[in-house]
Amino acid sequence: MPYDSSKLLDATNLAILRELQQDARLSYSELSRRVGLSVPAVTERVRRLEDAGIIEGYGVRLNFEALGYGITALIELSAPPSRYPQVLAFCEQTPEIRESYFVTGDSSYVVRVVARSVQHLQEIIQRLGTFGNTRTSVVLSSPIIKTSFDLEGLKR
Amino acid sequence: MPYDSSKLLDATNLAILRELQQDARLSYSELSRRVGLSVPAVTERVRRLEDAGIIEGYGVRLNFEALGYGITALIELSAPPSRYPQVLAFCEQTPEIRESYFVTGDSSYVVRVVARSVQHLQEIIQRLGTFGNTRTSVVLSSPIIKTSFDLEGLKR
DNA sequence: ACTGAAATCTGTAAACC
DNA sequence: GGTTTACAGATTTCAGT
């Protein structure tokens, strides 16, 4: 339920979010030690951040390379609006497609995919190609993937 | 330390990863109930997945819109190799840049940025523009952002 | 809103199969 | 690798401020 209530972003809650970004499996007792409040107070604050929709959930950061998915690519797809539902359905049922963005500019969709080999990537490109023109950029390296966001700018 | 040891990806560990992807704050006792092993067995398995580099860490999924960063954009940057170190340093110190990819094709970099307003986005684009030509695609919607990966394909 | 304390549940380490 | 046991630590609930 993302309705703001900007008071939720006081210095203590920003500290809580900072800690959870670095290690979401921190115990409440350790978290409360770090932010200087009692355990029930911190537990309640986290619950409210979840209820407000600021915290959407907790995830594990997986190393796709170690899982055998050594290739990442960004694929731009230009497709007529009439095919959007089909494109969406395809993206949803294809696990290799990690995210899709509907963007301004000459390409309608940009998707990020992971693949086990160039053959595997080619398959995905060909399937996307049935919806429209594609333009693929293979990722050579990902110098920056930030796992936490500096929330300092949110202080009022 | 990502050296595989592919035996780490048996059905039980895939189940553990599946559960942690959905909720990384699950207790070990709940996790062990779900995968049908004792608590110490599951704790040890998670420790090994971490040691092998398959699990890189645990994070909180934040709603950037609720945090006031309502705009996402993909910016392609073409810059000469001599400027890569500067570009990298800029990306690293700019919190709004969430990830950067070095890619094949005519653009050397693709970055994903979040911004609080179009003015804010413009600032970032202008700063990136000091390194080379930019091409910005504003994200209109993100129909798919997957928070978990179907690991079924890894079964041997 | 936060604290502190009690009851219950969970994590950790050791001994063993 | 796995389990069981036993102790230490963490979570939840609630009365009090």
Side-chain angles (χ1 to χ4, degrees), chain B residues 80-102:
Chain B
S82 61
R83 307 202 98 172
Y84 291 171
Q86 286 171 274
V87 173
L88 211 71
F90 174 74
C91 290
E92 246 154 24
Q93 63 168 40
T94 305
E96 292 92 343
I97 296 181
R98 303 309 307 149
E99 53 207 41
S100 82
Y101 299 107
F102 185 54

Side-chain angles (χ1 to χ4, degrees), chain A residues 37-38 40-41 45 48:
Chain A
L37 277 183
S38 67
R45 278 169 171 268
R48 288 191 186 167

Side-chain angles (χ1 to χ4, degrees), chain A residues 82-94:
Chain A
S82 62
R83 307 202 98 172
Y84 291 173
Q86 288 172 273
V87 173
L88 211 71
F90 174 74
C91 291
E92 247 155 23
Q93 62 168 41
T94 305

Side-chain angles (χ1 to χ4, degrees), chain B:
Chain B
M1 291 79 210
Y3 64 105
D4 193 280
S5 357
S6 52
K7 306 201 145 191
L8 269 180
L9 298 175
D10 64 1
T12 304
N13 279 354
L14 293 180
I16 288 171
L17 292 176
R18 178 165 24 85
E19 296 297 336
L20 287 178
Q21 283 187 95
Q22 276 159 5
D23 181 7
R25 276 185 75 77
L26 270 185
S27 66
Y28 285 119
S29 64
E30 177 58 26
L31 194 51
S32 63
R33 251 171 251 133
R34 296 192 188 182
V35 305
L37 278 184
S38 66
V39 174
V42 169
T43 310
E44 179 64 12
R45 277 169 172 268
V46 171
R47 200 192 59 71
R48 288 194 185 165
L49 287 166
E50 291 168 350
D51 287 353
I54 290 168
I55 292 178
E56 293 187 325
Y58 306 93
V60 59
R61 290 192 285 268
L62 292 181
N63 183 336
F64 277 87
E65 212 168 319
L67 289 170
Y69 289 78
I71 298 178
T72 297
L74 303 175
I75 307 177
E76 300 180 29
L77 170 68
S78 302
S82 61
R83 307 202 98 172
Y84 291 171
Q86 286 171 274
V87 173
L88 211 71
F90 174 74
C91 290
E92 246 154 24
Q93 63 168 40
T94 305
E96 292 92 343
I97 296 181
R98 303 309 307 149
E99 53 207 41
S100 82
Y101 299 107
F102 185 54
V103 297
T104 60
D106 37 53
S107 287
S108 19
Y109 272 103
V110 178
V111 303
R112 184 173 63 83
V113 308
V114 295
R116 300 168 70 82
S117 63
V118 286
Q119 287 75 19
H120 186 193
L121 175 61
Q122 192 183 346
E123 271 179 48
I124 299 166
I125 294 170
Q126 282 172 349
R127 290 204 190 185
L128 276 170
T130 63
F131 302 111
N133 288 329
T134 60
R135 173 177 171 261
T136 302
S137 300
V138 174
V139 172
L140 300 174
S141 64
S142 306
I144 297 180
I145 295 188
K146 288 174 187 161
T147 56
S148 67
F149 182 68
D150 183 4
L151 299 156
E152 288 304 299
L154 294 174
K155 279 189 187 164
R156 285 144 215 274

Side-chain angles (χ1 to χ4, degrees), chain A residues 108-126:
Chain A
S108 18
Y109 272 105
V110 178
V111 304
R112 184 173 63 82
V113 309
V114 294
R116 299 168 71 82
S117 63
V118 286
Q119 286 76 18
H120 187 192
L121 175 61
Q122 191 183 347
E123 270 179 47
I124 300 166
I125 293 170
Q126 283 172 349

